């Protein structure tokens, strides 16, 4: 009796996943293994299948560089946002102080901004005449950090800015499940501060860190609006995809780039979850 | 029971309304964005004059061409408006039918297809849009060579030419001005490689506000954008037509092949080349294609005729033929420096 109801309940989600994820991915894949020029969803050309688009991504220094940049930026952003958020998340779970919900709301605000807005914010703060360089100039006479919005620094700041809420919420919900009595027990058994951290807290926290990492990494990997606004020469995969689509109508190469990103995101997500020893979906 | 009766009455009213409102004549124009080139004012004036409505349409050039292509067998639009090279492409694809508006002979020969498959309605010119306050005492650049001076380091921007028609025209045009051709991009790209060290970044979104604010002191773009900053937004802006040469950017139209309201469309196109309509375009700082139509009070706001003397018209055919290879070469040799 329960089964059919359950089936009916998951049907809309299944239909959605099929029509918005599986089917488009299949179309992308088909388009990616053809030589250039075919519109997505068009019938396969007579030229037959070809891996030339994938070969181009891996051998062309610019595209390969964009891929490496994307991975490096996403890795740095994920690692740094965990470092930044661990303390606040701990405080939100354990601490009890006035205005706690306000602080949480403040931290999670950036999630509601689109990438384009974050890009403009970074330009206002770190642009050529940004607030920080102007302030530095009034203090020291030199406009330090002027124009850094358009460099790697700007991208890093912007990405961390919108990953902080995700990292914070994920860490907080995982920390809530953390059994703090374990730490108390370790202390009463005579373990020192660092001993407790490395041998009790960290191993128990590990899954939370990994799931937070995989979430922030994957979101950064696909994020696009900020880079579109501010990067001058720092190439990132999502921007290259957009460029191939709109600038050159090169759907084959763009599709192949999409598939590569999806494959990496999936591998990281799945791999980290295996590593953390549980198959739950990271809560976000 | 009662609800369904209300529904019937409403349905009847809607039907009555739609039949009575469908009566007035229309001309359908793709890419008819009200706040671009004053299309809102132009179409309102036409409706007031003739009763013929030209509804707004928010498609840009490329989307307009794509839509016409998709509807080829059953055309819905009567006319379309584009940035030059795209309108040319649409004509080449056979999406237009020839028509020569009444004022045909007054349109300069370089700005129309001899057969009437496309024709410019107004033009813009490549200019340096300079925020004087943001220069902080440095001289306003007057020539392309001035832009290369180290004092402008990190102060100049031009849009990524792979994203926008305006910037593509500027890169293509600069190369022609320097002696390049539509297959030899060497001279132009060498210049842009040198300019690169003074570039803040290559925007892919409108930086109109960044220029007004002074974040970007020098923007190479269409003169009309700078004039709008100066006269509408009252910025401390100077619009410089480079003394050592510039190029024009025609904005063109074409009558759609199989246009459903052909008779009205021809009248509308004729009217767009009257002094009245041409002056309305000039209010948004697009230069009328019929030069005599520019009202004196507006003319004084544009750069002078002497300044415009160095502006060259480009061959849209060559420009659209070179599009993909030049964009790629710019990416490889200027932006990405492979």
């Amino acid at each position: 009796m329960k089964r059919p109801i359950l089936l009916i309940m998951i049907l809309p989600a299944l239909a959605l996943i099929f029509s918005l994820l599986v089917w488009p991915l299949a179309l992308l894949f088909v388009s990616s293994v053809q030589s250039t020029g075919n519109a997505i969803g068009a019938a396969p050309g007579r030229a037959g299948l070809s891996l030339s688009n994938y070969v181009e991504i891996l051998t062309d220094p610019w595209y390969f560089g964009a891929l490496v940049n994307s991975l490096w930026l996403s890795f740095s952003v994920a690692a740094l946002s965990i470092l930044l958020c661990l303390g606040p998340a701990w405080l939100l779970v354990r601490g009890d102080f006035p205005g706690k919900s306000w602080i949480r709301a403040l931290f999670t605000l950036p999630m509601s901004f689109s990438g384009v807005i974050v890009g403009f914010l970074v330009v206002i703060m770190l642009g050529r005449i940004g607030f920080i360089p102007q302030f530095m100039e009034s203090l020291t006479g030199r406009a330090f950090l002027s124009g850094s919005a358009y460099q790697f620094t700007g991208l890093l700041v912007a990405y961390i800015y919108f990953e902080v809420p995700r990292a914070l919420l994920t860490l907080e919900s995982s920390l809530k499940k953390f059994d703090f009595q374990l730490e108390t027990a370790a202390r009463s058994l005579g373990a020192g501060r660092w001993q407790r951290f490395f041998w009790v807290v960290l191993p128990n926290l590990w899954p939370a860190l990994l799931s937070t990492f995989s979430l922030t990494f994957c979101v950064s990997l696909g994020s696009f609006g900020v880079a579109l606004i501010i990067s001058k020469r720092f190439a990132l995969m999502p921007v290259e995809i957009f460029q191939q689509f709109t600038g050159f109508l090169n759907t084959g190469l763009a599709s192949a780039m999409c598939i590569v990103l999806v494959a990496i995101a999936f591998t990281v997500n799945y791999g980290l979850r295996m590593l953390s020893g549980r198959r739950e979906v990271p809560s976000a | 029971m009662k609800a369904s009766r209300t529904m019937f009455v409403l349905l009847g009213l809607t039907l009555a309304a739609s039949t009575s409102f469908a009566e007035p004549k229309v001309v359908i124009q793709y890419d008819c964005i009200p706040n671009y080139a004053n299309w809102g004012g132009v179409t309102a004036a036409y409706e007031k004059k003739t009763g013929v409505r030209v509804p707004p349409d928010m498609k840009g050039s490329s989307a307009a061409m794509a839509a016409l292509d998709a509807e080829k067998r059953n055309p819905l639009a009567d006319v379309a408006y584009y940035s030059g090279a795209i309108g040319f492409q649409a004509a080449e694809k056979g999406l237009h039918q020839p028509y020569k508006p009444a004022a045909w002979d007054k349109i300069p020969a370089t700005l129309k297809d001899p057969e009437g498959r496309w024709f410019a309605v107004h033009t813009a010119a490549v200019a340096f849009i300079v925020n004087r306050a943001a220069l902080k005492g440095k001289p306003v650049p007057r020539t392309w060579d001035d832009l290369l001076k180290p004092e402008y380091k990190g102060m100049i921007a031009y849009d990524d030419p792979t994203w926008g028609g305006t910037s593509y025209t500027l890169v293509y045009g600069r190369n022609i001005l320097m002696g390049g051709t539509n297959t030899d991009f060497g001279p132009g790209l060498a210049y842009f490689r040198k300019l690169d060290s003074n570039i803040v970044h290559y925007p892919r979104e409108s930086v109109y506000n960044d220029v007004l604010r002074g974040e970007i002191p020098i923007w190479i773009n269409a003169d009309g954008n700078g004039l709008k900053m100066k006269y509408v937004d009252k910025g401390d802006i100077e619009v410089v037509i480079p003394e050592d040469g510039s190029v024009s950017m025609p904005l063109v139209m074409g009558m759609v092949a199989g246009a459903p309201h052909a008779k009205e469309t021809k009248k509308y196109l004729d009217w767009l080349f009257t002094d009245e309509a041409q002056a309305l375009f000039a209010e948004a700082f697009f230069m009328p294609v019929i030069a005599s139509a520019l009202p004196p009070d507006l003319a004084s706001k544009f750069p002078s005729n002497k300044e415009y003397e160095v502006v060259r018209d480009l061959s849209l055919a060559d420009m659209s033929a070179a599009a993909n290879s030049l964009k790629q070469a710019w990416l490889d040799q200027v932006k990405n420096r492979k």
Side-chain angles (χ1 to χ4, degrees):
Chain A
M1 193 59 208
K2 265 186 183 169
R3 280 283 164 81
I5 293 173
L6 207 64
L7 198 69
I8 290 168
M9 277 171 69
I10 62 167
L11 219 62
L14 273 182
L16 201 70
I17 286 178
F18 182 78
S19 59
L20 293 180
L21 189 74
V22 180
W23 184 238
L25 263 182
L27 289 181
L28 272 183
F29 182 75
V30 170
S31 144
S32 77
V33 290
Q34 287 164 34
S35 36
T36 59
N38 285 314
I40 288 179
R46 280 200 205 121
L49 303 183
S50 145
L51 285 178
S52 61
N53 291 319
Y54 291 95
V55 173
E56 193 172 355
I57 296 171
L58 295 177
T59 54
D60 182 298
W62 182 256
Y63 299 141
F64 190 69
L67 183 60
V68 173
N69 287 346
S70 275
L71 293 174
W72 171 234
L73 179 70
S74 308
F75 177 85
S76 318
V77 168
L80 285 172
S81 45
I82 288 177
L83 276 180
L84 269 173
C85 291
L86 200 53
W90 192 281
L91 206 66
L92 284 178
V93 171
R94 301 229 60 190
D96 199 15
F97 50 90
K100 193 164 123 174
S101 56
W102 278 96
I103 291 191
R104 187 190 287 116
L106 200 67
F107 262 99
T108 50
L109 193 65
M111 194 130 82
S112 55
F113 292 163
S114 78
V116 173
I117 295 176
V118 176
F120 285 130
L121 286 177
V122 171
V123 169
I124 286 171
M125 294 306 287
L126 288 173
R128 206 189 58 85
I129 53 160
F131 176 76
I132 293 175
Q134 299 281 73
F135 183 69
M136 289 292 191
E137 195 171 15
S138 69
L139 276 187
T140 65
R142 276 202 58 191
F144 289 107
L145 293 171
S146 172
S148 54
Y150 309 108
Q151 316 293 335
F152 182 69
T153 324
L155 281 175
L156 195 64
V157 169
Y159 273 65
I160 288 177
Y161 178 80
F162 68 73
E163 292 300 359
V164 155
R166 292 186 178 83
L168 189 75
L169 290 181
T170 321
L171 282 175
E172 193 194 345
S173 70
S174 315
L175 280 179
K176 271 189 189 144
K177 292 181 221 149
F178 182 70
D179 186 358
F180 287 98
Q181 285 182 339
L182 287 174
E183 202 208 353
T184 321
R187 192 192 307 187
S188 72
L189 289 171
R193 174 176 301 200
W194 292 111
Q195 273 179 313
R196 272 181 279 143
F197 183 74
F198 279 110
W199 300 107
V200 179
V201 178
L202 207 55
N204 282 292
L205 220 52
W206 200 235
L209 296 184
L210 287 181
S211 67
T212 310
F213 184 91
S214 91
L215 177 73
T216 47
F217 180 88
C218 292
V219 173
S220 303
L221 197 64
S223 173
F224 158 71
V226 184
L228 192 64
I229 293 285
I230 59 179
S231 81
K232 179 184 175 188
R233 186 166 287 120
F234 195 79
L236 288 172
M237 218 55 188
V239 182
E240 294 300 312
I241 293 172
F242 190 47
Q243 185 137 43
Q244 289 302 325
F245 262 127
T246 58
F248 296 98
L249 300 175
N250 191 350
T251 47
L253 186 58
S255 307
M257 290 172 173
C258 293
I259 296 288
V260 168
L261 276 195
V262 169
I264 292 172
F266 184 80
T267 313
V268 168
N269 211 330
Y270 193 76
L272 287 184
R273 236 182 299 157
M274 295 297 280
L275 209 69
S276 74
R278 47 181 189 170
R279 303 279 204 93
E280 287 168 34
V281 184
S283 45
Chain B
M1 195 60 205
K2 204 171 181 188
S4 67
R5 193 179 299 167
T6 320
M7 286 299 285
F8 263 114
V9 173
L10 275 179
L11 195 70
L13 276 177
T14 327
L15 276 177
S18 60
T19 46
S20 63
F21 281 125
E23 234 15 80
K25 293 167 179 165
V26 290
V27 170
I28 306 296
Q29 173 179 332
Y30 279 174
D31 192 345
C32 183
I33 301 171
N35 64 2
Y36 190 90
N38 199 18
W39 277 110
V42 170
T43 52
Y46 190 63
E47 186 173 2
K48 206 174 157 198
K49 200 179 167 75
T50 63
V52 177
R53 211 168 93 77
V54 184
D57 178 85
M58 302 305 282
K59 282 189 271 297
S61 305
S62 302
M65 178 168 82
L68 291 184
D69 200 27
E71 299 159 1
K72 214 160 29 179
R73 289 194 194 155
N74 184 20
L76 301 173
D78 300 303
V79 272
Y81 169 74
Y82 316 86
S83 77
I86 296 173
F88 177 87
Q89 257 180 301
E92 287 293 287
K93 279 175 177 258
L95 300 173
H96 296 169
Q97 56 174 299
Y99 178 69
K100 296 179 179 176
W104 186 252
D105 296 334
K106 291 196 208 162
I107 306 174
T110 48
L111 296 175
K112 63 189 176 191
D113 174 50
E115 277 127 57
R117 293 175 308 152
W118 59 265
F119 31 83
V121 271
H122 41 243
T123 61
V126 169
F128 308 157
I129 299 169
V130 183
N131 184 324
R132 275 187 296 215
L135 283 184
K136 291 194 176 161
K138 287 172 188 158
V140 173
R142 299 283 161 198
T143 65
W144 292 95
D145 283 337
D146 281 351
L147 293 184
L148 298 177
K149 292 179 182 165
E151 60 185 336
Y152 299 121
K153 191 171 174 59
M155 298 181 107
I156 305 173
Y158 63 94
D159 299 351
D160 183 331
T162 63
W163 309 86
T166 305
S167 209
Y168 172 67
T169 310
L170 118 78
V171 170
Y172 179 85
R174 181 65 186 138
N175 180 55
I176 298 290
L177 289 175
M178 295 188 75
T181 67
N182 71 337
T183 47
D184 170 23
F185 310 135
L189 292 180
Y191 174 82
F192 286 113
R193 257 201 310 282
K194 276 189 234 156
L195 184 64
D196 183 75
S197 53
N198 282 350
I199 293 289
V200 191
H201 71 139
Y202 298 106
R204 296 142 184 159
E205 287 274 334
S206 171
V207 287
Y208 187 93
N209 286 316
D210 281 352
V211 179
L212 263 178
R213 226 162 45 81
E215 170 72 26
I216 293 172
I218 302 168
W219 188 31
I220 317 174
N221 204 271
D223 56 353
N225 279 325
L227 296 171
K228 194 169 164 227
M229 284 180 202
K230 184 173 177 180
Y231 293 109
V232 181
D233 294 309
K234 311 281 181 210
D236 185 10
I237 299 287
E238 184 167 343
V239 177
V240 179
I241 304 291
E243 286 166 7
D244 48 352
S246 182
V247 292
S248 72
M249 290 187 275
L251 291 124
V252 307
M253 298 184 79
M255 182 167 170
V256 176
H261 313 99
K263 216 174 122 200
E264 286 304 329
T265 304
K266 289 177 178 172
K267 282 189 209 156
Y268 172 62
L269 284 172
D270 288 346
W271 181 77
L272 288 180
F273 290 91
T274 60
D275 285 4
E276 183 191 355
Q278 291 280 304
L280 287 172
F281 290 130
E283 279 177 18
F285 300 105
F286 281 80
M287 183 61 97
V289 73
I290 293 174
S292 60
L294 183 64
D297 59 317
L298 274 174
S300 63
K301 293 182 174 175
F302 280 87
S304 69
N305 282 340
K306 193 167 179 314
E307 285 169 271
Y308 275 132
E309 262 172 22
V310 297
V311 176
R312 272 176 59 177
D313 292 332
L314 298 166
S315 150
L316 294 186
D318 291 349
M319 197 157 95
S320 69
N324 266 12
S325 47
L326 177 55
K327 285 183 203 169
Q328 190 62 54
W330 179 85
L331 275 183
D332 293 348
Q333 295 176 39
V334 179
K335 178 150 178 263
N336 302 350
R337 294 251 188 105
K338 267 189 226 170

